[in-house]
Amino acid sequence: MKRQKLCKDEATFVKGKPQGEVNYWPCEHQDEKAAAEHQKYKVYPIGQIANYCKHVPYRSEKKTLLSKTGREGFHVFQYTFQMPHDEKRQTVMWDYNIGLVRITPFFKALEYPKLLAPVALLTLSRQRLRGCLARIPD
């Protein structure tokens, strides 16, 4: 029987134990303000993110991940959220070993087209840092 291919944007929640060292744990501390925001954006599975980890194989024409890192995929924690005005659930995932974060769901939730994503990231960074950006040397 052929295995069904999963969509990379789709969350699958199966309890498991992390593989290897966990350097980037989820921050699941909640005060009243954080809990209200988590409810507003329907964050799932809040308080239990570390219980749901998975392996995501790396598939690319370039095949550079293995040669650069010695790894064939990512070991991730994940959670979902939903914008108040939208029915679509977005899946956030990050590699708990090396810290890579998939940021596409944030742009999709804010309805930024792909071409504007770099501009949006810069805009959001400026807003978050109150205009204090330093140029990163080449």
Side-chain angles (χ1 to χ4, degrees):
M1 187 169 160
K2 195 173 184 179
R3 283 178 59 172
Q4 181 181 356
K5 185 178 178 183
L6 294 174
C7 176
K8 68 179 178 180
D9 293 339
E10 192 174 314
T12 54
F13 292 101
V14 178
K15 287 192 176 188
K17 294 186 185 231
Q19 297 177 17
E21 189 175 351
V22 177
N23 295 313
Y24 300 92
W25 287 96
C27 180
E28 300 191 76
H29 169 74
Q30 284 196 43
D31 56 17
E32 287 181 28
K33 186 176 179 181
E37 290 296 306
H38 291 150
Q39 286 179 339
K40 177 180 174 182
Y41 292 99
K42 300 178 183 171
V43 176
Y44 177 83
I46 199 62
Q48 299 179 31
I49 294 171
N51 294 335
Y52 298 96
C53 47
K54 70 178 188 178
H55 174 76
V56 178
Y58 180 75
R59 290 188 174 88
S60 171
E61 298 295 320
K62 297 176 186 174
K63 302 286 184 194
T64 58
L65 184 72
L66 181 61
S67 64
K68 289 183 179 178
T69 67
R71 300 174 57 185
E72 295 181 350
F74 303 98
H75 299 290
V76 300
F77 289 134
Q78 62 184 347
Y79 66 90
T80 62
F81 73 94
Q82 184 176 339
M83 296 298 284
H85 64 277
D86 195 357
E87 292 296 313
K88 173 92 170 98
R89 294 198 67 78
Q90 302 292 338
T91 303
V92 177
M93 59 179 74
W94 71 96
D95 187 301
Y96 53 77
N97 296 133
I98 58 177
L100 292 176
V101 179
R102 185 167 181 268
I103 61 173
T104 302
F106 300 114
F107 294 117
K108 286 184 177 182
L110 295 171
E111 299 176 358
Y112 282 113
K114 282 188 176 187
L115 292 175
L116 292 180
V119 174
L121 184 59
L122 183 60
T123 302
L124 293 172
S125 297
R126 282 189 178 144
Q127 289 172 354
R128 177 59 81 195
L129 298 172
R130 295 177 188 16
C132 301
L133 286 180
R135 184 175 181 283
I136 300 173
D138 296 310

